[in-house]
Every structure is written in C-alpha cells, then in structure tokens.
Amino acid sequence: GGGLAGMVAALKLAEQGFEVYLVEKDDELGGIARRIQHTLEGNDVPAYLRALRARLADNPLIKVYTRADIVAASGYVGNFTTRIAVGPNRDTAELKHGVVIIATGGGEYKPTEYLYGKDTRVLTLLELEGELARGNGQIADCNNAVLIQCVGSREDNRPYCSRVCCSESIKCALKLKDANPEMNVYVLYRDMRTYGFKEDYYQEAKGRGVMFIRYEADDKPRVETITEDNQNRLRVTVTDPLLGEELIIDTDILALGVATLPAADNQKLSQLFKVPLNEDGFLFEAHMKLRPVDFATEGVFVCGLAHA
C-alpha cells in the first residue's frame, strides 16, 4: 500500500539499504492522507506528503508501482514471489522479495444516517476539512454548525471505536471558530476520546466556546428538514442528559464523525499471504503485546490503518 504508513515504511527500509517495491492500487501515493490538510497540532500534511514523494522518487532503492493490483503470491520468508498487474493495460510484473509489509490503509464510511447524501449541508468531517481548506466562504458565513460523533462506529455491526474521529471533530471545531469566532459550534458526542496530549485541544475548544452535548446510544440525535418562514431549515434535535430536555438546533451545516472502515482488499490479501483478519475485517497481529506488528506467518508485517 502506498498510503502514508506504506510510504514511511518504504523510506525507512530503503535508508537502511534494502531494496523496496511499493505497490499502490490508486493513481498516486498518499491514500487517505491526501484529504487531510493539517494535524490537530497544526502540522502541514500536504507539505509533508510532497516531501515524502520527493524522497521516494530520489531513492534508487525504491521502485513504485501505481494502479497496481496483486494477482498472486507464494513463497516464504526470504523467498516470496508476488505477481502484480500494473497500469491501464494491466501489464504483469513478478517481484522477488524477502518480506512483506501490508499497509492497505482504511476507508471512510459513507453514512445513510442523518440525511447524508440527501441534503448538501450534511458532510463528513473529512469533507468539512476539505471545504475549510478551500476557503469556502459559505461555511465561514454560517451562524450554527453541528458535529455528530460515532456515526457508524460503536454499533452492533461495527462495535469498535474508530479512535481518530474525536480529534478530527476538535480540529474542525477549532477551524470553524478560526473562520468565524461568532459561530455557534455544537459537538454531540457519546464519549470524547481525545487521546494523550490531544486533551489539551479539547480544553481549548471548550475555552473558545465550542459547546459539547452528550447523547445516549439509545437516544441519538434526530435530523430533519423543516420548512419555516419560507426557509428550508436543517434541524437537529438532541436530548441533553443533564437537563433531561430536548435541545433544538437549526444548523447551517452538519458534519458527521464517521467510522473508519477496513480496506476492501484486506480479505484478498489475507488469503494470498495466509494472514488472519479479526472480526471487524482488520488484519490480526500475532500477539497484541508481544508481537504487535507482525503475523504468525513469518516474514509478513502490518502497519497503519490496515491493523486497526
């Protein structure tokens, strides 16, 4: 995989003198990181990606294949053979290598909840970040913005926490306040999970007036369109558990903290390289504590969102 994790892994290995084949299914490297503009701490992600691409291109030990799919794999540690189909003509190439690193990344859940896909004012957090980065003046002019957490995560069919969504919502909330300090920004959450030092940014958001309202899993927010005073309003209703009363917010924009999905290729790669998947579809390491980045199959390793 040629996402952020795969690119870094390739560079680190090449800098130690190993020849590396980097196989990416998309037209360009970067994966989901191409849609991220800044980290919560303010680091410039596009600039970092450009620098990584330049270093990859300059390193003679790294051979990059884009628009490539793995067709077959065989062998064992020190003697793997992987056949790939590359480019629009699906030309085949056979790669000989000693180890495998699976860095297939993850995907963004496209919700059916909360009028997503039915109302253009409803976005995912990554889509909102993209609009903010493009300087969308309509967003800066908003009076109210609502962010809803745990959309598609921590449900019966997808019980895991997607982990990065709370930090992404804090980042977007702060960016909204940067664009318009007078905007009312509401974050509707089940549990805020801003890990480690990211908790500081949660406190900053509270200090800048972002309003956090907890909701229960069995009493989720309700989103509807209401025609009132000849205006089509996007209305969010949420029960405040502290007050025990419903809060009604007519919002200009609604952003959803959606689940991170396992890569669609995980099942195929699991079979090709004889490595297991967990019940959620992510790749399952040999031992959570003792061998957290490799598999029971010797010579096969995992990194990035392919793991969890």
Side-chain angles (χ1 to χ4, degrees), residues 98-119:
V99 300
V100 181
I101 297 178
I102 300 178
T104 47
E108 180 189 37
Y109 170 59
K110 294 298 185 182
T112 56
E113 304 95 318
Y114 302 123
L115 300 184
Y116 182 85
K118 300 180 178 67
D119 192 305

Side-chain angles (χ1 to χ4, degrees), residues 113 150 152-160 190 217 220 279-280:
E113 304 95 318
C150 293
S153 275
R154 302 172 70 198
E155 301 287 351
D156 290 342
N157 63 331
R158 206 174 288 110
Y160 56 88
R190 285 173 60 184
K220 295 176 184 176
E279 61 272 18
D280 300 317

Side-chain angles (χ1 to χ4, degrees), residues 4-289:
L4 194 58
M7 293 167 76
V8 171
L11 273 170
K12 293 298 182 184
L13 287 167
E15 287 167 358
Q16 295 176 61
F18 295 101
E19 187 177 1
V20 181
Y21 301 109
L22 187 57
V23 180
E24 168 57 41
K25 65 179 180 179
D26 289 338
D27 293 341
E28 60 179 310
L29 301 177
I32 207 165
R34 298 199 304 264
R35 300 178 59 193
I36 300 172
Q37 302 302 313
H38 299 92
T39 65
L40 182 52
E41 294 79 8
N43 298 315
D44 188 332
V45 176
Y48 181 62
L49 275 177
R50 286 194 296 272
L52 279 182
R53 288 195 188 105
R55 288 169 62 194
L56 284 165
D58 290 343
N59 196 309
L61 291 177
I62 301 174
K63 170 65 175 174
V64 177
Y65 297 92
T66 54
R67 293 188 69 179
D69 291 304
I70 295 176
V71 177
S74 61
Y76 47 88
V77 60
N79 189 30
F80 286 108
T81 301
T82 299
R83 194 165 75 249
I84 61 173
V86 187
N89 297 324
R90 313 315 288 156
D91 300 322
T92 60
E94 194 169 84
L95 311 179
K96 303 283 189 179
H97 52 105
V99 300
V100 181
I101 297 178
I102 300 178
T104 47
E108 180 189 37
Y109 170 59
K110 294 298 185 182
T112 56
E113 304 95 318
Y114 302 123
L115 300 184
Y116 182 85
K118 300 180 178 67
D119 192 305
T120 57
R121 294 168 290 186
V122 184
L123 310 170
T124 68
L125 286 176
L126 272 180
E127 290 167 349
L128 174 59
E129 180 172 348
E131 293 300 321
L132 286 165
R134 281 189 284 275
N136 187 330
Q138 291 180 315
I139 290 179
D141 291 339
C142 290
N143 295 315
N144 297 311
V146 172
L147 284 58
I148 301 178
Q149 301 303 110
C150 293
V151 179
S153 275
R154 302 172 70 198
E155 301 287 351
D156 290 342
N157 63 331
R158 206 174 288 110
Y160 56 88
C161 169
S162 290
R163 187 165 185 179
V164 296
C165 334
C166 286
S167 297
E168 177 73 10
S169 71
I170 296 294
K171 181 175 69 177
C172 287
L174 290 171
K175 290 292 183 184
L176 288 168
K177 281 292 190 179
D178 288 341
N180 179 359
E182 301 303 314
M183 190 185 307
N184 298 310
V185 181
Y186 303 85
V187 178
L188 313 185
Y189 71 97
R190 285 173 60 184
D191 301 283
M192 288 307 297
R193 296 180 174 182
T194 44
Y195 293 85
F197 294 111
K198 289 178 169 54
E199 185 78 6
D200 294 342
Y201 297 94
Y202 166 65
Q203 296 294 343
E204 179 186 343
K206 290 181 71 175
R208 291 178 61 182
V210 176
M211 288 162 276
F212 292 86
I213 301 167
R214 187 171 181 274
Y215 72 88
E216 299 287 352
D218 58 358
D219 189 11
K220 295 176 184 176
R222 300 184 300 283
V223 178
E224 57 190 332
T225 53
I226 299 291
T227 302
E228 194 172 272
D229 300 328
N230 294 321
Q231 290 185 319
N232 183 27
R233 301 183 186 276
L234 183 61
R235 178 163 291 178
V236 180
T237 305
V238 60
T239 302
D240 187 322
L242 294 177
L243 300 176
E245 295 181 356
E246 286 192 340
L247 177 65
I248 296 173
I249 307 164
D250 285 343
T251 189
D252 301 297
I253 194 163
L254 174 62
L256 308 178
V258 297
T260 299
L261 303 181
D265 290 338
N266 282 2
Q267 181 70 47
K268 173 185 172 184
L269 292 177
S270 168
Q271 295 169 351
L272 284 171
F273 291 105
K274 301 176 179 61
V275 294
L277 300 176
N278 68 14
E279 61 272 18
D280 300 317
F282 294 97
L283 293 157
F284 193 51
E285 72 276 31
H287 191 286
M288 184 183 296
K289 300 294 185 184

